[in-house]
Amino acid sequence: MSFLPESAALPDALVSLTSFGAAEVCRHGQLWFARLCHEAGAQGVEVREELLTDPAAELPALAEWLRSTPLRSVYSCPRPLFAADGQLDAAALAHALAATRTLGALWLKMSIGHFAAQGEQASAQGFAPLAQALQQAGVTLLIENDQTPQAGSLRALRRFFAAADAAGLQLPMTFDMGNWHYVGECPLQAARELGERVAYVHAKGVQHRGKWVAVPLAESSAPWRTLLDTLPEDAPRAIEYPLIADDLGALTRTALQQLRHATRV
């Protein structure tokens, strides 16, 4: 089972627009930072719903600009796939798919939320309508390990993917390198178990400063090179750590080059 095309070459390097800080992104807008990323050599951007101040205006503007570039886009929705009662949140899914279509993105990123909160069988009833909605939308759903035990632990994701596979719905994954630390998991173990389905990587380092915080890869206290070496080397990678500098363009360009070439050391 592979979730990547056989022709995939070296990994594309993207930027999650959260990397520039919520306050700055909300002040300038995601289109401004998407342009910066394009000029810095990014091959795509991840648009974040939580940082849209006026989605009705911003998403069409982003879509129009993206169509003039070769960039790929990912839409990140913070609303979970399964609600607190363990049922598929059809409203959240419809909302996320509509936004993804407006943006013109082919990838939608969500977490599983409260899958199996009232039992796995009850939640599994949501797989058929989920598959139908994804097929109709022509969108690929990427399941991300988040920073919660119910949606970011290896046990929870192992259970979800096994149930989805059994229902005939094989979903690829966004592998967030740093989030495993927030739930006390070993990222390398997760990569070995789930790496086969990883189609997109959130690349970030971590340090523990009273709590886990995201840092540039070079400053990480975790073995990030070993982790990237364990994951599919052709899976697109997105910077998702703070990018702060007087010359943001130069910093972003350097960070993208480092990420793109951090393979097989």
Side-chain angles (χ1 to χ4, degrees):
M1 178 173 62
S2 176
F3 294 92
L4 291 165
E6 292 182 3
S7 60
L10 291 176
D12 284 352
L14 292 77
V15 181
S16 172
L17 297 179
T18 52
S19 300
F20 299 104
E24 286 299 298
V25 173
C26 289
R27 182 161 71 93
H28 291 288
Q30 294 190 64
L31 178 55
W32 191 92
F33 283 101
R35 286 173 171 150
L36 181 149
C37 292
H38 181 37
E39 291 171 2
Q43 288 151 308
V45 293
E46 181 178 317
V47 174
R48 306 291 295 225
E49 179 175 305
E50 68 271 24
L51 298 182
L52 292 169
T53 57
D54 184 4
E58 288 180 84
L59 285 176
L62 275 161
E64 182 179 5
W65 177 77
L66 284 165
R67 285 194 294 269
S68 70
T69 77
L71 270 64
R72 73 166 70 191
S73 60
V74 182
Y75 187 75
S76 174
C77 178
R79 297 170 63 174
L81 196 57
F82 288 83
D85 62 0
Q87 299 297 311
L88 176 70
D89 191 333
L93 176 63
H95 162 82
L97 287 173
T100 304
R101 289 195 299 270
T102 298
L103 180 64
L106 297 179
W107 282 3
L108 164 65
K109 182 178 70 66
M110 298 178 76
S111 72
I112 63 173
H114 299 272
F115 177 79
Q118 301 295 328
E120 186 176 308
Q121 187 173 0
S123 290
Q125 295 175 9
F127 285 134
L130 173 58
Q132 183 178 15
L134 293 174
Q135 183 177 23
Q136 289 177 346
V139 168
T140 297
L141 176 63
L142 299 167
I143 298 297
E144 181 184 25
N145 57 298
D146 69 12
Q147 297 177 7
T148 67
Q150 70 268 16
S153 69
L154 186 53
R155 177 179 181 275
L157 287 160
R158 185 191 296 127
R159 185 180 187 182
F160 170 82
F161 283 126
D165 288 349
L169 181 60
Q170 294 186 336
L171 293 169
M173 180 181 180
T174 295
F175 189 100
D176 189 296
M177 293 168 57
N179 283 354
W180 300 105
H181 296 275
Y182 290 80
V183 294
E185 298 278 11
C186 173
L188 281 173
Q189 181 183 352
R192 293 185 184 112
E193 288 199 34
L194 301 174
E196 185 181 46
R197 70 173 67 245
V198 171
Y200 181 49
V201 178
H202 267 186
K204 63 187 174 196
V206 290
Q207 287 185 11
H208 198 270
R209 302 171 181 171
K211 63 178 182 179
W212 290 106
V213 296
V215 298
L217 291 173
E219 299 174 19
S220 182
S221 58
W224 63 272
R225 287 187 181 275
T226 302
L227 186 55
L228 280 177
D229 190 59
T230 304
L231 294 169
E233 62 181 313
D234 46 1
R237 304 164 175 178
I239 293 170
E240 206 205 22
Y241 58 77
L243 292 170
I244 304 170
D246 291 334
D247 189 340
L248 274 178
L251 175 63
T252 303
R253 186 176 300 107
T254 298
L256 286 165
Q257 288 294 334
Q258 291 173 341
L259 181 60
R260 194 175 287 116
H261 295 289
T263 56
R264 302 300 173 192
V265 298

